[in-house]
Amino acid sequence: MSDYSCDALIIGSGQAGNPLAKALAEAGQKVILVEAAQMGGSCLNYGCVPTKTLLASATRAHQVHTAANLGVYVRGEVEIDMPTVVARKEKLLAKSRRSLTESLAPEHENITVVRGHAAFTGPYQVHVQETKERSSEITAKQVFVNTGTHAAVPPVPGLADTKFLTTTELLDLEEVPEHLLILGGGYIGLEFGQMFRRFGSRITIVEHSGQVLEREDDDVCQVLQDALTAEGIEFIMNAEVHHVSQNAEGQFNLATSTRQGERRLHGSHLLVATGRKPNTEGLGLELAGVKTDEQGYIEVNTRLQSNVDHIYALGDVHGGPQFTHLSYDDYRVVRDNLLHQGPRRSAKQRPLPYCVFTDPALGRIGLSETQAKDQGIDYRVSVTPVKKISRAQQTGDDLGFWKMLVGPDDRIIGAAIIGPEAGEIMTIVQVAMAGGLQYQELAEMVIAHPVWAEGLNVAFKDIK
């Protein structure tokens, strides 16, 4: 058994843990980083990086299939080589994991990487089971939990007895499913549904509520659902799945209740995309005195400290919106509060930009119209169809709209961008919001013609 002592113990090598390890090490602290699985956390291994890599292949296939709309004809059949698609993704992941590992140790002499499962045995003590035969006992002055989440599996009768897929397994599938059933109409279900539809699968999305992306404005959800329906994706809304089974040939059978009555669904594959659960079970948090909420997320203050002052939680494991960029900002919050002089930095007072990588894509920043109404905030709104933007008319990509909300002081308080380059346009709006610009400055700004951002000149003209 090896004995360690360190200034900082980081459990989990996600988007917050890795840069924090480097920052603390460069400040002269002795750091131990423990990882039980692949280096890089969820974003690198089964989140943003692999998903968007596969989405790029699906998008290219769609562009080929729809090239005739622009007068370009492809002679012969377009084939999807899924082993090659997956191999491209794996090559990128291997390179990223290797670069990350090398950047942590031995490059930083103050960082020690330990592979194994960590569990608290006391407030300052952590046991790490590295192999069946080898374990380590680590004593740390400060501990940072960055263990992330895993796919939540709903308690549907029969589901646990089937070989259903989560996104982790689906990313490695080297075949195109004949008929992919998806439980969940959130952004994960929509992205994977459109991806595999464009690879050639028949897709059925089963959602328990009345709309996809239930936290978004109704008009946003409707545009996205209509666009995916037009591509051949079937939506079963307001549906409750009360039994799942799988026959000897591997076919899935779902018994569902809808407002139109009972309906049975049959498919070759089943993806469960109904949310996430924190990776806190088995961490021994109770032995350290760390409090969690009813779902198992670690409760933290604005500095990301748990109720035990020297134990912090970073990334998805403390609940709230689960995005890579927020996890990385958690690192900034902890770094600045521990290492830098100046005002205290808060994890609660920050913007929340995010994107859904469907086609058309969705970029969101600030308040939605629904949120503004619920909070009693005065606002004015403009909704600009994408087809009114010059660039859309030239490219033929004209689905969606740009919705802008401004407050009584003429400053932007929120935006929902649905359409091409949605994330990039949303980021321009975010910069304007951060700079406190009034909407007239964007409406009158000289923007190069005919870039997509020129639509900002158009989007605010209808503000009253």
Side-chain angles (χ1 to χ4, degrees), residues 143-160:
V143 183
F144 304 89
V145 181
N146 183 217
T147 51
T149 61
H150 63 277
V153 180
V156 178
L159 179 61

Side-chain angles (χ1 to χ4, degrees), residues 56-76:
S57 296
T59 299
R60 191 64 55 87
H62 180 69
Q63 290 170 344
V64 174
H65 282 120
T66 58
N69 296 336
L70 277 70
V72 178
Y73 297 92
V74 178
R75 307 303 181 187

Side-chain angles (χ1 to χ4, degrees), residues 11-273:
I11 304 175
S13 66
Q15 295 301 305
N18 298 327
L20 180 62
K22 296 178 185 178
L24 295 176
E26 289 167 1
Q29 296 191 26
K30 183 176 180 181
V31 179
I32 295 177
L33 176 63
V34 179
E35 176 55 61
Q38 294 279 11
M39 299 292 289
S42 61
C43 176
L44 174 58
N45 292 290
Y46 47 86
C48 310
V49 175
T51 302
K52 277 50 182 181
T53 303
L54 295 188
L55 272 173
S57 296
T59 299
R60 191 64 55 87
H62 180 69
Q63 290 170 344
V64 174
H65 282 120
T66 58
N69 296 336
L70 277 70
V72 178
Y73 297 92
V74 178
R75 307 303 181 187
E77 191 167 334
V78 178
E79 296 183 6
I80 304 296
D81 186 344
M82 282 304 293
T84 300
V85 170
V86 172
R88 175 177 174 269
K89 179 260 298 183
E90 285 299 315
K91 183 178 179 180
L92 176 60
L93 294 189
K95 179 181 178 181
S96 299
R97 290 168 184 153
R98 183 170 59 252
S99 297
L100 172 60
T101 302
E102 292 172 353
S103 72
L104 291 170
E107 181 175 317
H108 288 272
E109 62 181 6
N110 285 340
I111 299 177
T112 300
V113 177
V114 178
R115 306 301 293 268
H117 175 74
F120 286 94
T121 56
Y124 294 90
Q125 298 79 33
V126 172
H127 174 84
V128 181
Q129 193 68 44
E130 300 175 53
T131 66
K132 288 183 179 180
E133 296 79 21
R134 186 174 69 250
S135 63
S136 301
E137 302 296 333
I138 300 174
T139 302
K141 297 177 183 178
Q142 291 183 310
V143 183
F144 304 89
V145 181
N146 183 217
T147 51
T149 61
H150 63 277
V153 180
V156 178
L159 179 61
D161 299 324
T162 68
K163 295 180 179 180
F164 65 88
L165 302 170
T166 67
T167 55
T168 303
E169 294 88 23
L170 190 56
L171 286 167
D172 294 330
L173 195 65
E174 294 190 352
E175 62 182 10
V176 176
E178 177 187 352
H179 185 185
L180 176 62
L181 304 173
I182 300 177
L183 294 187
Y187 75 91
I188 293 176
L190 298 189
E191 287 185 4
F192 274 85
Q194 188 175 46
M195 178 199 304
F196 278 91
R197 177 59 188 157
R198 291 180 168 185
F199 283 146
S201 298
R202 179 184 169 191
I203 304 293
T204 300
I205 295 178
V206 183
E207 168 58 37
H208 69 88
S209 70
Q211 66 178 39
V212 299
L213 301 177
E214 56 184 335
R215 292 183 177 86
E216 302 296 336
D217 290 339
D218 292 350
D219 53 357
V220 170
C221 298
Q222 195 61 56
V223 164
L224 289 175
Q225 185 174 339
D226 288 348
L228 270 61
T229 299
E231 289 195 26
I233 294 177
E234 180 185 20
F235 288 89
I236 311 296
M237 308 302 293
N238 297 300
E240 294 295 333
V241 180
H242 51 79
H243 192 267
V244 177
S245 62
Q246 190 176 19
N247 63 24
E249 290 73 36
Q251 293 291 308
F252 285 87
N253 303 287
L254 275 63
T256 66
S257 300
T258 71
R259 291 180 178 178
Q260 290 73 40
E262 294 292 312
R263 182 167 177 182
R264 292 192 173 273
L265 305 174
H266 309 282
S268 60
H269 296 72
L270 174 63
L271 169 65
V272 174

